[in-house]
Amino acid sequence: MNETYVHGYNRRENVRLHDQAGALIDLLHADTEYPAGSRVLEAGCGVGAQTVTLARGSPDAQFTSVDVSGDSIAEARRRVDRAGLTNVQFRHADIFALPFSAESFDHVFVCFVLEHLSRPVEALAILKRLLKPGGTITVIEGDHGSAYFHPDSLAAREAVQCQVELQRQAGGNALVGRQLYPLLVESGFEAIRVSPRMVYVDSSRPDLVDGFTRQTFTAMIEGIRENAIASGLIEPERFDAGIRDLHRTTHADGVFCYSFFKGVGEKGRGAQPRGEQPCSGGDAR
Amino acid sequence: MNETYVHGYNRRENVRLHDQAGALIDLLHADTEYPAGSRVLEAGCGVGAQTVTLARGSPDAQFTSVDVSGDSIAEARRRVDRAGLTNVQFRHADIFALPFSAESFDHVFVCFVLEHLSRPVEALAILKRLLKPGGTITVIEGDHGSAYFHPDSLAAREAVQCQVELQRQAGGNALVGRQLYPLLVESGFEAIRVSPRMVYVDSSRPDLVDGFTRQTFTAMIEGIRENAIASGLIEPERFDAGIRDLHRTTHADGVFCYSFFKGVGEKGRGAQPRGEQPCSGGDAR
């Protein structure tokens, strides 16, 4: 996974840390449950924020969680141990060079990973090879272009756009959420269903105002300040005005909206292409 | 209702006409049901697109539907008659001068109306006076700033922005959906809960590709072409490029997202302000 990260692992970490009420975890993960005995690959587990939720939600499934960062794997292992979970094993590996045989897994799970990849279809095709026929892939991604708010602010939108542009320059795609359907089609999956998971925040939900609008989304944008300015994408005053306006949306009359997308696809049971090539996906809908 | 309409009644009409599968009607209205015997005011019924859904969904409630346009009322009456519904009466009236006594209704329903009003809080306060204590208001509005799509296109976003600007110049607010919570708070309603209703369209849903992306949203933007160009908001070539890019999102790899918002608030049972003033809403959350 030779990709440059714009914001490290902070965002998914923050989603977990600040989601005191579990509302976001439910929104993203409540409908993911794997049968007893199934083998599940979590590709790109990071520091294990999703791993704990996954392994707890499917206590009788066996998870293999991989990440390109050894430090992250170490932290994920500590976290899973602290949670008392025994159904996860970790492997330190690149998503483009995974040490598994074809058709090794019943299911694959990918969360907040594709946004960082310049070749997401290639990654999905590799993961598809590792799936048994009839197995599923579940992909969850955010989409920074889905953020809008009240009061509206051009400066705030420009600050968010800096994040989109920096991620693009790093080879990633901050708008990947809306693209899950075509990406899964192009990778050859079948029976694809994508559903948006919109986080709607007004002041009747102070947990989300603080945990999502302030500590997750706005904090993420604040985190690219130096990089955005150094890259010449925006003037410091303009960026800071955008951040002030994002904070303004956390007032009593403010509203903040953001959407994640969750896609599930199946690996067909039909004839597989010969040799080691990923499926061409010709029979996908 | 002395407001200039940007697009007449076409949009809400289109939502109905092209929603062959009923998916949008379910998304917006499935959770609205009024008890037997309750009196419900539909403020701004237009040509009755929602009236038929409402009256069918609550066959034992009594609806009073008003609109500022006599022609629209006539069409709404024909439509309700054709549907065989007998629980609706119509009144030709301005929302700012409604011919009803205070506390006449158990519930109020408002759909695709606030976006056209320059004084939405005033309208909501007037409607609140007509509610019995403990009665509810239900408000449904779109939000054109919630539209995003794949492939993304700056030209398409600029064409959409023309609609937002024209509606603003006409005294309306095309971003009103995201503002329902603060508007209901400011109008003095209590126990307010707002939920987004996101329309997510990919090519696995050809009914929505045609009925919503093409025939409803893109057709609405196409409809402002002359006005947007005459107002100097955009060059013809740029607008047309934007429309082409909106149509591009209807291809097999395209995705289109739009959100409606639905808000429900209650009129408190506590002490009412003296005289004829609308409630101040001091105890609203």
Side-chain angles (χ1 to χ4, degrees):
Chain A
M1 197 151 48
N2 299 312
E3 310 283 345
T4 309
Y5 277 60
V6 177
H7 50 68
Y9 296 100
N10 289 333
R11 182 148 39 92
R12 50 181 156 178
E13 181 63 350
N14 276 335
V15 166
R16 191 195 67 82
L17 286 177
H18 298 287
D19 184 22
Q20 306 296 347
L24 288 174
I25 287 174
D26 280 352
L27 181 76
L28 299 181
H29 301 298
D31 55 344
T32 294
E33 194 173 338
Y34 297 109
S38 56
R39 293 198 62 202
V40 184
L41 171 65
E42 183 192 15
C45 65
V47 295
Q50 274 70 45
T51 312
V52 170
T53 300
L54 274 181
R56 216 176 244 149
S58 301
D60 298 319
Q62 294 297 320
F63 291 88
T64 302
S65 296
V66 306
D67 201 86
V68 69
S69 158
D71 289 347
S72 291
I73 288 282
E75 170 59 22
R77 185 175 278 124
R78 279 190 292 273
R79 191 174 296 202
V80 161
D81 288 346
R82 272 200 304 271
L85 296 161
T86 57
N87 57 335
V88 184
Q89 52 181 335
F90 290 95
R91 292 288 288 269
H92 181 191
D94 188 311
I95 202 168
F96 290 104
L98 290 169
F100 307 112
S101 312
E103 306 189 1
S104 303
F105 294 96
D106 298 294
H107 303 285
V108 172
F109 180 88
V110 189
C111 185
F112 304 156
V113 171
L114 296 188
E115 62 169 323
H116 300 295
L117 305 182
S118 59
R119 295 169 287 152
V121 169
E122 187 177 327
L124 290 171
I126 286 169
L127 294 171
K128 183 160 164 276
R129 282 198 64 238
L130 301 183
L131 269 178
K132 297 177 187 169
T136 69
I137 189 167
T138 298
V139 186
I140 301 175
E141 296 287 340
D143 188 311
H144 297 347
S146 76
Y148 55 97
F149 29 80
H150 175 72
D152 193 18
S153 153
L154 186 55
R157 283 189 267 143
E158 289 173 2
V160 173
Q161 187 59 34
C162 289
Q163 159 80 346
V164 173
E165 181 58 24
L166 286 174
Q167 199 151 346
R168 194 191 64 75
Q169 290 178 5
N173 179 2
L175 308 182
V176 73
R178 74 188 71 173
Q179 299 174 35
L180 287 189
Y181 183 82
L183 288 172
L184 287 165
V185 169
E186 194 179 346
S187 309
F189 287 97
E190 302 180 12
I192 300 160
R193 44 205 186 284
V194 172
S195 56
R197 309 288 166 114
M198 184 168 168
V199 184
Y200 165 81
V201 186
D202 64 33
S203 58
S204 70
R205 291 296 308 270
D207 55 333
L208 286 174
V209 172
D210 190 60
F212 189 77
T213 308
R214 190 178 288 125
Q215 305 284 358
T216 300
F217 188 84
T218 304
M220 172 186 71
I221 302 300
E222 283 177 313
I224 60 154
R225 183 179 190 278
E226 303 313 317
N227 203 349
I229 293 166
S231 302
L233 292 175
I234 197 166
E235 294 297 318
E237 299 73 22
R238 186 67 172 168
F239 188 87
D240 294 341
I243 296 297
R244 276 196 303 276
D245 288 349
L246 286 175
H247 280 289
R248 172 67 183 80
T249 73
T250 66
H251 292 195
D253 64 346
V255 172
F256 189 89
C257 300
Y258 183 94
S259 289
F260 297 92
F261 291 80
K262 184 168 186 171
V264 179
E266 291 179 20
K267 177 172 178 170
R269 295 175 189 274
Q272 299 298 312
R274 286 160 298 176
E276 296 295 301
Q277 296 308 308
C279 297
S280 69
D283 60 344
R285 282 189 304 161
Chain B
M1 195 151 52
N2 298 311
E3 310 282 344
T4 309
Y5 277 61
V6 176
H7 49 68
Y9 297 100
N10 289 334
R11 181 147 38 93
R12 49 181 154 177
E13 182 61 350
N14 275 336
V15 166
R16 192 195 65 83
L17 285 176
H18 298 288
D19 184 22
Q20 307 296 347
L24 288 175
I25 287 174
D26 280 351
L27 181 74
L28 300 181
H29 301 298
D31 55 346
T32 294
E33 196 175 335
Y34 297 109
S38 57
R39 295 199 60 204
V40 184
L41 172 65
E42 183 191 16
C45 65
V47 295
Q50 274 70 46
T51 312
V52 170
T53 300
L54 274 183
R56 217 175 244 149
S58 302
D60 298 319
Q62 295 298 319
F63 292 87
T64 302
S65 296
V66 306
D67 200 86
V68 69
S69 158
D71 289 347
S72 292
I73 289 282
E75 171 59 22
R77 184 176 280 123
R78 278 191 292 274
R79 192 174 295 203
V80 162
D81 288 346
R82 271 201 304 272
L85 296 162
T86 58
N87 57 335
V88 184
Q89 51 181 336
F90 290 97
R91 292 288 290 269
H92 181 191
D94 189 312
I95 202 169
F96 290 106
L98 291 168
F100 307 112
S101 312
E103 305 189 359
S104 304
F105 294 97
D106 298 296
H107 303 285
V108 172
F109 179 88
V110 189
C111 185
F112 303 157
V113 172
L114 296 189
E115 62 168 324
H116 300 296
L117 305 182
S118 58
R119 295 168 287 151
V121 170
E122 188 178 326
L124 290 171
I126 285 170
L127 295 171
K128 183 159 163 274
R129 281 197 66 238
L130 302 183
L131 270 179
K132 296 177 188 169
T136 69
I137 189 167
T138 298
V139 186
I140 300 175
E141 297 287 339
D143 188 311
H144 297 348
S146 76
Y148 55 97
F149 29 80
H150 175 73
D152 192 18
S153 153
L154 185 55
R157 283 189 266 143
E158 288 174 2
V160 173
Q161 186 60 34
C162 288
Q163 158 82 344
V164 173
E165 181 57 23
L166 286 174
Q167 199 151 345
R168 193 191 66 75
Q169 290 177 7
N173 179 2
L175 308 182
V176 73
R178 73 188 73 173
Q179 299 173 36
L180 288 189
Y181 183 82
L183 288 171
L184 287 165
V185 168
E186 194 179 345
S187 309
F189 287 96
E190 304 179 11
I192 300 159
R193 42 204 189 284
V194 171
S195 56
R197 309 290 166 114
M198 185 168 168
V199 184
Y200 166 81
V201 186
D202 64 35
S203 58
S204 70
R205 290 296 308 270
D207 55 334
L208 286 175
V209 172
D210 190 59
F212 190 78
T213 307
R214 189 178 290 125
Q215 305 283 0
T216 300
F217 188 85
T218 303
M220 173 185 72
I221 302 299
E222 283 177 312
I224 61 155
R225 182 179 191 278
E226 303 313 317
N227 203 349
I229 293 166
S231 303
L233 292 174
I234 196 166
E235 295 297 319
E237 299 73 22
R238 185 67 171 168
F239 187 88
D240 295 341
I243 295 297
R244 275 196 303 276
D245 288 349
L246 286 175
H247 280 288
R248 173 67 183 80
T249 72
T250 67
H251 292 195
D253 64 347
V255 172
F256 189 88
C257 301
Y258 183 92
S259 289
F260 297 92
F261 290 80
K262 184 168 188 172
V264 179
E266 292 179 19
K267 178 172 178 170
R269 296 176 189 273
Q272 298 298 311
R274 286 161 297 176
E276 297 295 302
Q277 298 305 310
C279 297
S280 69
D283 60 345
R285 282 189 304 162

